[in-house]
């Protein structure tokens, strides 16, 4: 492609709302343009990168025995109602009606849809296992779309689904996808960690997330130095260190004016924070729920959601009025004598701590020496705590380390969650109806593009890995009005194209500075500069990463480019 | 691909609502599945065909210098309001709101969107001409989705747009696309005609449609035997043969009981039909419009819409009550003395016919000897008539011939219609603001798939052209339990794959009849059958089209298949 023809409107400055490097550089380098909040257009260079990520994903899915199909982006309401997710997905789901007022959504994912597809056509165990995928536009009406194509409302996702006769082969299908995902993200040249995930809205048991490490990532992972353990902080288990056992004393109400925080009450009563009960007052699906955890910890909302089995958007903080109407006071909520209309849930560790200080459900009052079992009872959840610095990994005994990252892939063992609600069954060898065992597998195609940029840029622009670069080589003719330079540029351009190398020829009649800045910005991995020494067939060769020019003969430059491209595509 | 692994749930019978061959065969052959009215899923074989059509389209667009991008499928309301099409598109446009109640549509096309994209970034004549395209999912909420993927509500379309500095280069860009389209449809092996089109909702001047000939097509084209002329019947010009001139007589009201049709009044008064005035009573954008044409002809609605410049969905038939409220009577509408609140439009030929018989706007009454100019006046439209058998082509003097077909492509000269409403301008060589001249170009990707099937099938199933076949060759192992047969089948399968041939291996443990029926149904162009003569390395070779088996050596079969595939892909 000739740059004189390429539609590449690069920008000197990124718009003010672009916060992170990938967002800024993809805009500046004319890879993407914003059409609306969280909605983007891919310009020629950007779409080439997207297609390369798609193609790598496709190849590895095909190699793993999965088969590509394409379902519609609009999905009928009925199939979502069967699983209960029509309501559960909440405002993240774009909904619409057709001219006959029939309800549809723009698919945010497709567990229900794939299950419905195979439901009537997979009849026998002989047709299983089966693995299908699609590379398709997906929709999530994010509360806060941000970071460009990192968290967009319309995006490209590979979603795939496995169908098996039993849990054991489901696990094999899952491991098969696990390995395929490693190959995909390796070929995308991402630096990533595979971590145990939270199953969240997907349901099912085991899951893993593929997290591209990046300081700008919205996800936090907790892992062990040894590499033996890694999980999202949503999932990471907390082994809480209990305060020492004491003799249980008698309850005593104390006046504690203005102590509406754990810090305040701990200081006022001179009691360590881990002996104070932290209350989180919530409305869940519009019903009151009081959650109590040790005062020195934070609530892990994902764990609570998993325990309750509700949708994230159905949880809100309780208002002061609601707290009062339940016979308590904001800042002084406690489990003793609270309204029986509310659900009370405690982190399991609470049952092991003696002589707790708890809110007295009165203004400016707490109760000391409260003990679980003797003074109150509640629903017990094994682990409601957010992991924190200093915690020990239960499985390995090491201290947790933390890192930020971008979730580019996830895999879930769904079990029979969807097949049971939708009724997807097969006949086993004995002619008996059995539920199909499923897995679901996602790759964020467009999000991977932003993750690749987050890991591959410098002060001058993007540095694309060869495997996803929009072009492999850029040939810059320093002075395109000079016939000798242009002729040699064309010669190199043609020679490389003949070898199947994807080449850009910068034949624009622009100043050299403009051309050099553009090529740094758009990040083509290899560069050949044709300048004044063109008459002697001498050019400059450099990589985008090193940016160090080396004088070589045109033929050497061609040979080196071909060799490097082939090497790096391996 | 091994058929034992391929997800290919073929059906013995097509569902009852499948009316035409392509719909039936694509369902039966497991290419597509219906998800909702007008909404389809592409199964593995079907998606392979779609991707081949996409790839041929992509290659020819790239060769023609167009550049691929990808815009979002959801488009903000604002850009459609600028062109006035937010309302004009009517119920065919899927509309939705996001969580902040902002309005979007699912793009049915993207003239406004592309114009908006380049508006701020194409600033100088130096950046023009420019040609951009995308292959993307489009949405039209059809009143009557039918014929499977032929008229679907979610479908894949290639839409492209050219941007030029003036009308002359716009025409060059248009011709460039015209030629690219010929190459695309030639490579899709379609039998098609290029016809002058009606610009309809797109606006602009010149347009052409690419019509794949098919008896099941919903479009009718009118053309000349010589090949010099072809147009859609919506567009085809009518040279009406006027009745002979007569002396103008005096108006006379006559009693014509029950003559509410042209046939009835013509017979009752013994006046030829072409002297009777045919009335079409309409509500257009909720305002009354009476249209009058010669009694022996039909109204061409597209021509009327073009004359009125309104949206198709804004036109309805007038109710009896409305006719009466305007001082007329149903079946007796005439232009003399009709309410001045209504618009009156006549076909130009009406002004040339002497002594017309017209409705008297009274029950059971007509007026004889009515003459335009003397007795009434109206807005005159040059041509409102539908072409019919026996009409002469004005340009060539030949008689019109008619054929049915499926519109698979269209190209439009848009001029400055969209650039003027959206304000897309460039600076010319003198630094003056000028409007950009545009063209728009569509290929129905998924519709082409159905058109290909309509032209390529027999009583046994589909006969794919090599260029779009999901696989080139199918190797059928007659008895997959026989080791020798299976081994030879595998050998041929591997040998062909090594040469880059796309091969299916039917290694299923099914009866031979099932396998033969399936391979006929799914229409793989070349077939190699490995049966009892496997021990002598003898196989049967046949084409899907001929279905005549020939005994040849395995090696000969391989060689012939390779040669034929290469030849037919040229």
């Amino acid at each position: 492609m000739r740059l004189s023809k390429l539609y590449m409107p690069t920008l000197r400055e990124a718009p003010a709302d672009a916060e992170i490097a990938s967002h800024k550089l993809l805009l500046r380098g004319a890879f993407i343009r914003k059409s609306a909040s969280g909605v983007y257009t891919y310009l020629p260079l950007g779409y080439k990168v997207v297609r390369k990520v798609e193609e790598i994903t496709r190849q590895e899915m095909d190699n793993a025995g999965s088969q590509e199909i394409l379902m519609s982006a609009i999905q009928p309401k009925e199939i979502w109602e069967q699983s209960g997710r029509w309501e559960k997905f909440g405002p993240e789901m774009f909904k619409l009606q057709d001219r006959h007022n029939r309800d549809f959504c723009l698919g945010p994912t497709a567990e229900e849809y794939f299950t419905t597809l195979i439901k009537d056509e997979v009849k026998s165990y002989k047709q299983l296992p089966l693995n299908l995928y699609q590379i398709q536009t997906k929709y999530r009406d994010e509360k806060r779309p941000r970071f460009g194509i990192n968290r967009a409302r319309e995006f490209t996702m590979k979603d795939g689904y496995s169908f098996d006769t039993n849990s054991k082969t489901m696990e094999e299908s899952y491991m098969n996808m696990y390995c395929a995902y490693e190959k995909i993200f390796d070929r995308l040249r991402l630096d990533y960690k595979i971590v145990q995930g939270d199953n969240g809205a997907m349901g099912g048991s085991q899951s893993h997330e593929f997290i591209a490490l990046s300081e700008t990532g919205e996800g936090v992972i907790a892992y062990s130095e040894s590499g033996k353990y890694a999980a999202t902080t949503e999932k990471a288990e907390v082994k809480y260190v209990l305060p020492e056992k004491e003799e249980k004393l008698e309850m005593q109400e104390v006046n504690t004016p203005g102590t509406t925080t754990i810090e305040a009450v701990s200081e006022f009563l001179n009691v360590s924070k881990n002996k104070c009960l932290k209350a989180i007052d919530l409305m869940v699906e519009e019903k009151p729920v009081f959650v109590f955890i040790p005062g020195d910890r934070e609530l892990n909302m994902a764990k609570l959601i998993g325990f309750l089995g509700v949708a994230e958007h159905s949880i809100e903080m309780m208002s002061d009025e609601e707290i009062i109407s339940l016979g308590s006071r904001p800042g002084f909520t406690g489990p003793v004598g609270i309204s029986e209309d509310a659900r009370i849930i405690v982190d399991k560790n609470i049952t092991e701590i003696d002589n707790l200080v708890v809110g007295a459900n009165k203004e400016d009052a707490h109760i000391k020496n409260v003990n679980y079992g003797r003074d109150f009872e509640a629903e017990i959840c094994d682990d409601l705590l957010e992991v924190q610095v200093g915690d020990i990994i239960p499985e390995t005994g090491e201290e947790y380390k933390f890192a930020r990252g971008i979730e580019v892939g996830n895999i879930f063992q769904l079990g029979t969650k969807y097949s049971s609600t939708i009724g997807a069954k097969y006949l086993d060898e004995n002619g008996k109806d059995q539920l199909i065992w499923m897995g679901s597998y996602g790759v964020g195609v467009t999000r991977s593009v932003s993750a690749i940029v987050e890991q591959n840029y410098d002060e001058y622009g993007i540095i694309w890995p060869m495997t996803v670069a929009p072009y492999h080589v850029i040939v810059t003719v320093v002075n395109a009005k000079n016939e000798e330079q242009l002729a040699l540029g064309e010669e190199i351009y043609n020679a490389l194209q003949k070898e199947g190398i994807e080449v850009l020829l910068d034949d624009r009649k622009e100043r050299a500075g403009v051309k050099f800045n553009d090529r740094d910005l758009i990040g083509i991995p290899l560069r050949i500069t044709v300048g004044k020494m063109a008459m002697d067939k001498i050019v400059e060769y450099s990589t985008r990463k090193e940016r160090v020019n080396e004088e070589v003969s045109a033929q050497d430059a061609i040979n080196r480019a071909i060799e490097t491209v082939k090497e790096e595509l391996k």
Side-chain angles (χ1 to χ4, degrees), chain A:
Chain A
M1 187 78 195
R2 288 160 200 281
L3 265 170
S4 58
K5 302 281 181 197
L6 179 67
Y7 186 59
M8 186 188 78
T10 52
L11 305 173
R12 286 214 192 140
E13 303 287 340
D17 65 345
E19 297 167 69
I20 64 172
S22 61
H23 190 185
K24 288 181 197 170
L25 292 173
L26 289 170
L27 283 167
R28 285 190 51 216
F31 292 87
I32 61 171
R33 285 295 178 265
K34 180 176 165 180
S35 302
S37 170
V39 181
Y40 287 84
T41 288
Y42 295 87
L43 298 184
L45 287 181
Y47 196 49
K48 276 201 183 298
V49 177
V50 171
R51 299 228 319 132
K52 290 201 172 179
V53 175
E54 286 181 2
E55 194 50 33
I56 286 171
T57 307
R58 176 175 288 122
Q59 286 171 5
E60 295 303 334
M61 290 302 292
D62 289 347
N63 287 345
S66 189
Q67 298 178 55
E68 187 171 13
I69 72 168
L70 184 68
M71 299 202 78
S72 63
I74 59 175
Q75 300 184 17
K77 176 185 184 180
E78 292 72 30
I79 59 162
W80 286 86
E81 280 187 322
Q82 287 184 280
S83 70
R85 290 209 295 178
W86 181 259
E87 292 303 330
K88 206 166 175 179
F89 236 98
E92 260 197 28
M93 194 190 253
F94 278 107
K95 292 175 178 170
L96 74 159
Q97 291 194 321
D98 73 2
R99 65 198 295 157
H100 308 295
N101 300 321
R102 283 192 212 103
D103 289 300
F104 290 85
C105 70
L106 300 182
T109 176
E111 281 74 16
E112 287 84 351
Y113 211 11
F114 272 74
T115 311
T116 305
L117 173 74
I118 63 120
K119 173 189 159 172
D120 296 321
E121 312 214 60
V122 169
K123 286 166 182 138
S124 156
Y125 70 95
K126 291 181 194 162
Q127 293 166 275
L128 298 173
L130 178 65
N131 191 318
L132 300 173
Y133 75 97
Q134 63 178 349
I135 297 174
Q136 196 213 31
T137 306
K138 293 286 186 306
Y139 296 86
R140 292 199 189 168
D141 196 356
E142 296 279 353
K143 196 165 184 176
R144 201 182 156 201
R146 60 194 297 211
F147 298 158
I149 58 172
N150 190 306
R151 185 170 288 279
R153 299 198 291 172
E154 175 172 328
F155 55 96
T156 305
M157 185 169 124
K158 188 287 294 177
D159 53 323
Y161 307 87
S162 63
F163 305 94
D164 276 282
T165 53
N166 60 61
S167 68
K168 195 174 155 291
T169 55
M170 171 191 77
E171 280 165 25
E172 287 166 15
S173 295
Y174 183 85
M175 275 318 294
N176 179 35
M177 285 294 107
Y178 185 106
C179 296
Y181 273 42
E182 288 183 304
K183 289 182 188 141
I184 291 169
F185 296 115
D186 285 348
R187 287 181 64 188
L188 298 184
R189 304 293 188 249
L190 280 170
D191 178 16
Y192 64 96
K193 273 194 190 293
I194 307 170
V195 309
Q196 290 178 35
D198 168 63
N199 279 47
M202 291 300 168
S205 48
Q206 175 91 301
S207 77
H208 284 94
E209 293 184 7
F210 292 72
I211 306 281
L213 298 176
S214 163
E215 275 311 305
T216 61
E218 293 185 276
V220 181
I221 62 175
Y223 65 99
S224 72
E225 188 77 56
S226 68
K228 284 180 195 145
Y229 180 88
T232 62
T233 50
E234 294 176 332
K235 166 89 175 175
E237 211 180 306
V238 172
K239 190 175 161 61
Y240 183 68
V241 182
L242 289 164
E244 278 182 30
K245 282 275 165 197
E246 307 178 354
E247 194 186 337
K248 289 185 173 70
L249 305 176
E250 240 173 79
M251 283 207 291
Q252 179 193 354
E253 188 174 315
V254 287
N255 193 28
T256 54
T259 57
T260 56
T261 63
I262 293 291
E263 284 70 24
V265 72
S266 150
E267 193 171 314
F268 186 86
L269 294 176
N270 197 24
V271 173
S272 66
K273 286 201 271 183
N274 59 2
K275 306 282 279 187
C276 300
L277 193 66
K278 182 182 279 189
I280 302 100
D281 307 343
L282 302 171
M283 296 300 287
V284 178
E285 294 178 344
E286 293 169 12
K287 293 192 202 84
V289 176
F290 294 106
V291 180
F292 298 103
I293 61 171
D296 58 342
R297 306 297 302 219
E298 298 298 326
L299 173 68
N300 179 314
M301 192 58 85
K303 291 177 182 174
L304 179 66
I305 288 169
F307 180 75
L308 294 171
V310 298
E312 187 176 353
H313 67 89
S314 69
I315 300 185
E316 286 180 280
M317 295 308 291
M318 210 182 264
S319 70
D320 287 358
E321 292 69 34
E322 283 161 335
I323 295 171
I324 292 164
S325 78
L326 288 159
S328 187
R329 286 290 176 280
F332 296 93
T333 310
V336 179
I338 195 103
S339 166
E340 286 183 6
D341 296 341
R343 229 173 130 174
I344 302 174
I345 297 166
V346 294
D347 176 65
K348 194 181 180 185
N349 294 297
I350 293 302
T351 67
E352 308 277 345
I353 303 175
D354 302 318
N355 300 325
L356 287 157
V357 172
V358 312
N361 299 314
K362 293 180 189 168
E363 199 69 30
D364 296 341
H366 280 81
I367 308 174
K368 286 168 69 170
N369 306 329
V370 171
N371 289 281
Y372 184 87
R374 185 189 74 180
D375 305 324
F376 72 100
E377 288 194 330
E379 295 174 64
I380 300 168
C381 175
D382 272 352
D383 180 11
L384 285 174
L385 306 185
E386 180 80 6
V387 68
Q388 68 184 32
V389 173
D391 279 352
I392 298 301
I393 303 168
E395 296 183 25
T396 72
E398 295 161 280
E399 207 172 284
Y400 276 112
K401 295 186 70 83
F402 298 92
R404 302 190 72 87
I406 300 163
E407 183 189 347
V408 287
N410 51 41
I411 56 179
F412 296 93
Q413 291 180 12
L414 300 175
T416 58
K417 177 179 158 76
Y418 294 93
S419 59
S420 59
T421 55
I422 289 163
K425 294 174 185 174
Y426 70 95
L427 288 176
D428 69 13
E429 282 149 302
N430 305 315
K432 257 187 73 179
D433 261 354
Q434 302 282 3
L435 288 172
I436 292 174
W437 288 72
M438 292 175 52
S440 91
Y441 314 96
V443 169
V445 170
T446 40
R447 181 181 285 178
S448 288
V449 173
S450 82
I452 293 166
V453 177
E454 285 298 324
Q455 292 186 354
N456 296 280
Y457 72 91
D458 63 15
E459 58 189 301
Y460 307 106
I462 300 171
I463 308 166
W464 291 110
M466 192 66 77
T467 52
V468 297
Y471 291 88
H472 303 133
V473 180
I474 182 166
V475 179
T476 305
V477 179
V478 175
N479 177 3
K481 290 172 191 157
N482 177 298
E483 276 179 33
E484 248 165 357
Q485 290 186 26
L486 194 58
L488 184 58
E490 298 267 0
E491 197 183 314
I492 298 168
Y493 177 63
N494 292 328
L496 288 170
Q497 284 194 319
K498 237 170 82 181
E499 295 292 321
I501 308 293
E502 297 164 12
V503 198
L504 274 180
L505 176 68
D506 195 348
D507 58 344
R508 293 178 299 171
K509 294 195 177 79
E510 295 278 358
R511 284 183 300 108
V514 169
K515 297 184 188 184
F516 292 150
N517 287 343
D518 274 347
R519 80 175 182 187
D520 278 347
L521 179 60
I522 66 172
I524 308 303
L526 303 180
R527 302 104 65 89
I528 297 173
T529 315
V530 183
K532 285 188 179 151
M533 290 168 297
M535 62 181 78
D536 303 319
K537 303 260 182 192
I538 301 291
V539 299
E540 286 174 342
Y541 181 90
S542 63
T543 65
R544 169 63 186 84
K545 197 164 186 179
E546 305 291 344
R547 298 178 72 254
V548 178
N549 285 315
E550 211 179 319
E551 283 178 18
V552 293
S553 74
Q555 192 54 52
D556 278 356
I558 292 167
N559 295 346
R560 274 174 72 169
I562 293 169
E563 201 179 313
T564 307
V565 170
K566 289 197 173 148
E567 184 61 33
E568 293 189 9
L569 286 183
K570 262 183 199 161

